[in-house]
Amino acid sequence: MKYLLASAAMLAAAGPACAQTISLKPIAEARLRYEHADQEGLPEEKADALTVRARAGLTASSGALSATIVGQGTLALVDKHYDGVNGAATRPIVADPENVALYIAQLQYKAKAFTLTGGRQKIALDDERFVGNVAFRDNGQTFDAVRAEITPAKGLKLDVAYAWSVRTIWGFQGKGARQQAVSGDNIFANLSYATPVGTLTGFAYLVDQDETAVQAFRLSSQTYGVRMAGAHPLSKAAKFSYQLSYARQSDYHRNPNAYSADYWLADGTLDVKGWKLNGGYEVLGASSGAAFTSFQTPLGTNFKFQGWADKFLTTPANGIRDLYVGGGYGWKQWGALSGVALSASWHRFDSDRLDQHYGDEIDLLASAKVKKTMLSVRYAHYDARAMATDTDKLWFQADWAI
């Protein structure tokens, strides 16, 4: 909390803005989710979890200054599963442990070309591959940090953050390798420029995870890379968007492994009159140095990548190559439903070295909104070959927010 008080003093230096009228905005969210998992190779192959999560808070703002505080709680109504921190790991994991926590506690100064945020906050950079909020999990991931976003010229933006603590998805009961919070000197830096063909971003992520409980995973790393992303209309009814990214990662701080590994991404999406077709190729490479090391993204929203069955949240020692294609269709309005969308995707997973075919996965999603409630049904089927075991997962979810 001393860091939050320090941030408060820093932001208070803005002075005259405090004299303006204070406006209040309530924050309220609720989620109900049922998750079923069927995973071969465990003593009890099936798991069922029904969880409810609620968040409530308030944003007070006056001119350029604002303060936000949000608390959250997660409760398991049906707990026939392993939540990652409680119970025996004889059933499949559903990574939503019961929790009560201070989710957001931040102060912010926001001007035309400068935003400064201090305290516990969400940080989601680019596509969240390297730094994200893990919003799919009930408890989310936040950072105790100070972040500055500067726009010195049109199209040019500098985004720099220093985080001394990562508040993980494991909640207050976190233990062992799944701590409630992981401390360290983390630095996230993005410099982006909007060009006529897309936004070009150079980034540097210095991840410090040297605590005794997580040290065995050797996750401290330095990652430097470049990303290009853009969207272009092909006609009045068609649009093409793309992402291209490359990064190089190596050991950092007290990581005992001397290693280096590469990351590649090429992704394209075509939208035509409600139809969407997507394809891509992503590589998290194996190390060219120490054995059994590979490109890792411990602070990313990894659920978004490499299939929803969560088989590759930690990159295998021999790296991973993910070839994927997908498609879907959406309706703006369908009776009482809005934002209706159906989608499907297929992944082929191979190693980056040793020519192993890990397995294949099919993911299906249907979602729609009814007034302020988003409803979704999600399914994942992983067909194992050389990595993990056959797994099926099914989710029914309702999200509400004021």
Side-chain angles (χ1 to χ4, degrees), residues 181-194:
V182 180
S183 61
D185 298 313
N186 302 281
I187 298 174
F188 315 133
N190 271 15
L191 179 62
S192 61
Y193 181 68

Side-chain angles (χ1 to χ4, degrees), residues 95-127:
D96 294 316
E98 293 187 317
N99 185 39
V100 176
L102 183 62
Y103 182 60
I104 300 291
Q106 72 175 43
L107 293 162
Q108 186 175 84
Y109 172 78
K110 188 170 185 178
K112 182 178 180 180
F114 177 69
T115 300
L116 181 65
T117 309
R120 187 162 301 171
Q121 58 189 284
K122 294 187 288 185
I123 300 179
L125 301 177
D126 296 321
D127 60 355

Side-chain angles (χ1 to χ4, degrees), residues 50-361:
L50 179 62
T51 60
V52 60
R53 186 207 66 201
R55 290 177 182 156
L58 185 71
T59 293
S61 58
S62 177
L65 295 175
S66 66
T68 301
I69 185 165
V70 179
Q72 74 171 9
T74 301
L75 178 66
L77 305 179
V78 176
D79 61 356
K80 295 180 179 180
H81 66 285
Y82 172 50
D83 68 12
V85 295
N86 294 307
T90 56
R91 284 187 170 129
I93 185 172
V94 177
D96 294 316
E98 293 187 317
N99 185 39
V100 176
L102 183 62
Y103 182 60
I104 300 291
Q106 72 175 43
L107 293 162
Q108 186 175 84
Y109 172 78
K110 188 170 185 178
K112 182 178 180 180
F114 177 69
T115 300
L116 181 65
T117 309
R120 187 162 301 171
Q121 58 189 284
K122 294 187 288 185
I123 300 179
L125 301 177
D126 296 321
D127 60 355
E128 300 188 58
R129 194 28 159 152
F130 303 106
V131 180
N133 179 232
V134 197
F136 180 77
R137 301 278 33 134
D138 282 346
N139 296 320
Q141 174 175 269
T142 56
F143 300 83
D144 292 343
V146 174
R147 180 184 184 187
E149 299 169 79
I150 306 167
T151 308
K154 183 179 180 180
L156 182 64
K157 181 179 180 181
L158 175 64
D159 189 331
V160 181
Y162 166 69
W164 56 87
S165 180
V166 181
R167 315 298 296 192
T168 73
I169 67 171
W170 304 112
F172 74 91
Q173 300 180 82
K175 55 191 175 184
R178 293 169 175 152
Q179 292 289 302
Q180 172 188 10
V182 180
S183 61
D185 298 313
N186 302 281
I187 298 174
F188 315 133
N190 271 15
L191 179 62
S192 61
Y193 181 68
T195 75
V197 295
T199 299
L200 178 64
T201 304
F203 54 84
Y205 303 128
L206 308 184
V207 175
D208 179 5
Q209 297 208 335
D210 291 322
E211 287 192 0
T212 302
V214 299
Q215 217 172 43
F217 290 88
R218 299 171 170 85
L219 294 178
S220 292
S221 65
Q222 51 186 328
T223 302
Y224 304 93
V226 62
R227 166 185 166 88
M228 187 74 173
H232 302 278
L234 303 178
S235 67
K236 291 184 178 180
K239 180 182 71 172
F240 177 75
S241 55
Y242 71 93
Q243 302 177 68
L244 300 170
S245 187
Y246 169 77
R248 180 78 167 174
Q249 183 180 94
S250 59
D251 53 286
Y252 177 67
H253 211 238
R254 292 193 295 268
N255 191 327
N257 280 334
Y259 81 99
S260 59
D262 294 324
Y263 171 86
W264 300 87
L265 172 68
D267 178 278
T269 301
L270 179 64
D271 289 276
V272 182
K273 293 184 178 180
W275 290 96
K276 180 176 290 188
L277 178 64
N278 170 256
Y281 189 60
E282 184 184 42
V283 179
L284 280 73
S287 169
S288 59
F292 308 113
T293 54
S294 52
F295 199 108
Q296 302 291 339
T297 59
L299 302 185
T301 300
N302 294 344
F303 178 82
K304 292 176 60 177
F305 303 88
Q306 298 173 344
W308 300 330
D310 280 350
K311 295 302 178 181
F312 303 102
L313 296 178
T314 299
T315 308
N318 289 318
I320 184 170
R321 300 185 179 194
D322 177 15
L323 174 66
Y324 57 90
V325 293
Y329 188 77
W331 299 262
K332 291 183 178 180
Q333 196 74 34
W334 190 14
L337 303 176
S338 62
V340 180
L342 302 174
S343 66
S345 61
W346 169 84
H347 297 258
R348 177 188 168 95
F349 303 113
D350 295 287
S351 64
D352 184 49
R353 62 181 172 195
L354 301 187
D355 195 26
Q356 297 175 311
H357 178 37
Y358 292 150
D360 303 278
E361 181 167 327

